[in-house]
Amino acid sequence: MRRWRLTIQYDGTSFCGWQRQASGPSVQQGLEEAITCFCGEQPAVTGAGRTDAGVHAAGQVAHVDLVREATAATVRDALNYHLRPAPVAVLEALPVADDFHARFSARARRYRYRILDRPAPPILERGFVWWTRRPLDVTRMADAAALLIGRHDFTSFRSAMCGAASPLKTIDALSVRRDGEEVVIDVRARSFLHNQVRIIAGTLERVGQGRWSTADVAAALAARRRERAGPTAPPGGLCLIAVEY
Amino acid sequence: MRRWRLTIQYDGTSFCGWQRQASGPSVQQGLEEAITCFCGEQPAVTGAGRTDAGVHAAGQVAHVDLVREATAATVRDALNYHLRPAPVAVLEALPVADDFHARFSARARRYRYRILDRPAPPILERGFVWWTRRPLDVTRMADAAALLIGRHDFTSFRSAMCGAASPLKTIDALSVRRDGEEVVIDVRARSFLHNQVRIIAGTLERVGQGRWSTADVAAALAARRRERAGPTAPPGGLCLIAVEY
């Protein structure tokens, strides 16, 4: 039996999310079925982050234990063969120590949220950006974002369905920059609350529009009430960029 | 009557190309129908470049004459409204002089060809890259590309169906660089022969694989026979980036 670390990319548009659910196809289910096709085994695949329906991943990480012996290239290529035509691919399969755990060994997760703030709707980036039409003030957004860095009670920034025991989280880095016609929000933390990044994006978008001030964001954070922060931004703009170990 | 210059973006995957054809939906037809929905007129839309089926555009340019008076923002937004949900958008509508001609006034066209040369298939870039699996040597490709810059008889690099009177074309710039997991080919010329950029990409890919040398590319160019150059690379990797006036 060998433990494998898989680096996985997916277009989340057509999935009900990472995790197996009765409501529709999940990335986890797709991977587990591909593994069964490859080697006949039926192991559980454990992911680093349970991305929601419609959220993408450039570098999700998961681990799985396989009895079947094979080279790393064979595991990668065989899983990609059986995953087709689903929009999921294994970028890398790496043999790891038995105590590696995709979720609990992770030191940090990095997410990116992309906003297209131009008058014309998204075409080449359709499904991968939040289209807000009106131009956003990135400097204002970056100033407000700075408030959220560090250890805080993020009760205002988690969904009502969040199951985390504590609302205390530490954001290591949070930047807002313009990249051509897009506003790109990059955030890094050891872990996140449910919908935390999307609520941060929805809140910063209001600041970028000029409807909210930095003081409003500070007040929203201090209030510890979900309804005081901005809306949950749509899932398609979000991407799990990488998991660090 | 006013002439409008339209800057247009489209995902070419589902189109039979820019130009109206009996074989399926074209970008031109979609635009013309949106214009009729907007103002009841039935003018012809003239594009700068007739991209093939599956080829994308980040900045195609077209002109059209409209009797209906409207602001530039109204023309842009109304056409985008009527274009939905087709993957086409008008980025900008600009009133121009009556002698502006999208095709004949153009001084240069810029195209980009993207190759994904990693073992795993494309996911986030699916439909927008050519997947070649094996790593390409970009330095070799750039060296061979340099041979094609300037004025040459590109008979070996045009499709058998090319209708241009002369095979002589001048390539102003042609670069090959790596951008992460992709090889990006950027090319600029006043105009191109049919399939010229895709045949250049197909030829340079062979050089990047190590199957062809720079001397083989020089010989292919000198031969003036289509079968001496490389294959026509798939359309999805190609994008009309911009038209210069």
Side-chain angles (χ1 to χ4, degrees):
Chain A
M1 182 90 96
R2 172 171 287 296
R3 179 155 293 190
W4 291 89
R5 167 176 159 172
L6 307 176
T7 304
I8 301 152
Q9 200 163 85
Y10 49 88
D11 172 347
T13 308
S14 59
F15 292 106
C16 69
W18 164 264
Q19 200 165 25
R20 257 187 196 272
Q21 286 181 49
S23 60
S26 65
V27 180
Q28 185 186 27
Q29 180 186 347
L31 276 165
E32 288 173 350
E33 289 174 359
I35 288 167
T36 302
C37 288
F38 163 51
C39 60
E41 300 169 57
Q42 299 194 309
V45 173
T46 303
R50 286 166 293 179
T51 55
D52 281 328
V55 174
H56 314 291
Q60 169 75 286
V61 175
H63 76 258
V64 65
D65 296 320
L66 299 183
V67 175
R68 165 78 162 264
E69 289 184 18
T71 67
T74 297
V75 171
R76 178 197 64 207
D77 295 343
L79 294 186
N80 286 335
Y81 176 82
H82 292 294
L83 281 164
R84 290 185 308 176
V88 182
V90 175
L91 302 188
E92 185 185 43
L94 197 67
V96 287
D98 289 349
D99 64 350
F100 173 84
H101 192 286
R103 184 168 171 207
F104 299 123
S105 304
R107 289 189 301 107
R109 279 107 176 146
R110 289 195 287 120
Y111 280 90
R112 175 166 293 169
Y113 199 94
R114 295 166 61 188
I115 304 175
L116 184 72
D117 64 338
R118 71 179 188 189
I123 297 298
L124 303 179
E125 311 298 344
R126 190 178 280 189
F128 293 93
V129 295
W130 177 21
W131 179 43
T132 63
R133 290 174 183 250
R134 284 186 295 174
L136 300 174
D137 183 330
V138 173
T139 305
R140 283 176 60 93
M141 294 171 75
D143 286 348
L147 277 178
L148 302 174
I149 298 171
R151 185 168 174 81
H152 300 286
D153 179 329
F154 281 101
T155 299
S156 301
F157 292 82
R158 68 165 168 175
S159 85
M161 296 181 300
C162 179
S166 165
L168 287 169
K169 289 290 174 190
T170 302
I171 292 186
D172 303 323
L174 174 57
S175 67
V176 185
R177 64 185 167 85
R178 178 165 293 283
D179 180 13
E181 296 181 311
E182 288 183 23
V183 175
V184 178
I185 301 171
D186 280 310
V187 58
R188 180 181 183 278
R190 181 177 181 89
S191 63
F192 291 92
L193 299 165
H194 188 229
N195 282 355
Q196 187 178 357
V197 181
R198 290 165 58 189
I199 299 170
I200 289 173
T203 301
L204 294 179
E205 195 269 339
R206 289 203 168 172
V207 175
Q209 278 187 24
R211 291 171 60 193
W212 281 21
S213 67
T214 294
D216 291 330
V217 177
L221 181 65
R224 299 178 197 177
R225 291 174 58 181
R226 172 65 191 92
E227 63 269 29
R228 291 292 299 278
T232 305
L238 187 60
C239 186
L240 172 55
I241 298 295
V243 185
E244 299 173 15
Y245 293 93
Chain B
M1 184 88 96
R2 172 172 287 295
R3 180 156 291 193
W4 293 89
R5 166 177 160 173
L6 307 176
T7 304
I8 301 151
Q9 199 162 89
Y10 49 88
D11 172 347
T13 310
S14 59
F15 292 104
C16 69
W18 165 264
Q19 200 163 25
R20 257 187 195 272
Q21 285 182 49
S23 60
S26 66
V27 180
Q28 185 186 26
Q29 179 186 348
L31 276 164
E32 289 172 351
E33 290 175 358
I35 288 166
T36 302
C37 288
F38 163 51
C39 62
E41 300 169 55
Q42 298 192 310
V45 173
T46 303
R50 286 167 292 180
T51 55
D52 282 329
V55 174
H56 315 290
Q60 168 76 286
V61 175
H63 75 258
V64 65
D65 296 320
L66 300 183
V67 175
R68 165 78 162 265
E69 290 184 16
T71 66
T74 297
V75 171
R76 178 197 65 206
D77 295 344
L79 295 185
N80 286 335
Y81 176 82
H82 292 294
L83 281 164
R84 291 186 308 175
V88 183
V90 176
L91 302 188
E92 185 186 44
L94 198 69
V96 287
D98 290 349
D99 64 350
F100 172 84
H101 193 287
R103 184 169 170 205
F104 299 122
S105 304
R107 290 189 299 109
R109 278 108 176 145
R110 289 195 286 120
Y111 280 91
R112 174 167 294 169
Y113 198 95
R114 295 165 59 188
I115 304 175
L116 184 72
D117 64 337
R118 70 179 189 189
I123 297 297
L124 303 179
E125 311 298 344
R126 190 178 281 188
F128 293 92
V129 295
W130 177 23
W131 179 43
T132 62
R133 290 175 182 249
R134 283 186 296 175
L136 300 174
D137 183 330
V138 172
T139 305
R140 283 176 59 93
M141 293 172 75
D143 286 348
L147 277 179
L148 302 174
I149 297 171
R151 186 168 173 81
H152 301 285
D153 180 329
F154 281 100
T155 298
S156 302
F157 292 83
R158 68 165 169 175
S159 85
M161 297 181 299
C162 180
S166 165
L168 288 169
K169 290 289 174 190
T170 303
I171 292 186
D172 304 322
L174 175 57
S175 67
V176 185
R177 65 185 166 86
R178 178 166 293 283
D179 180 12
E181 295 181 311
E182 288 183 23
V183 175
V184 178
I185 302 172
D186 280 309
V187 58
R188 180 183 183 277
R190 182 180 182 87
S191 63
F192 291 93
L193 299 165
H194 188 227
N195 282 355
Q196 188 178 356
V197 181
R198 289 166 57 190
I199 299 169
I200 289 173
T203 302
L204 293 179
E205 195 269 340
R206 289 202 168 174
V207 175
Q209 277 186 26
R211 292 172 59 192
W212 280 20
S213 68
T214 294
D216 291 330
V217 177
L221 181 66
R224 298 178 199 178
R225 292 173 58 181
R226 171 67 191 92
E227 63 271 27
R228 291 292 300 277
T232 305
L238 186 60
C239 185
L240 172 54
I241 298 296
V243 186
E244 299 174 15
Y245 293 92

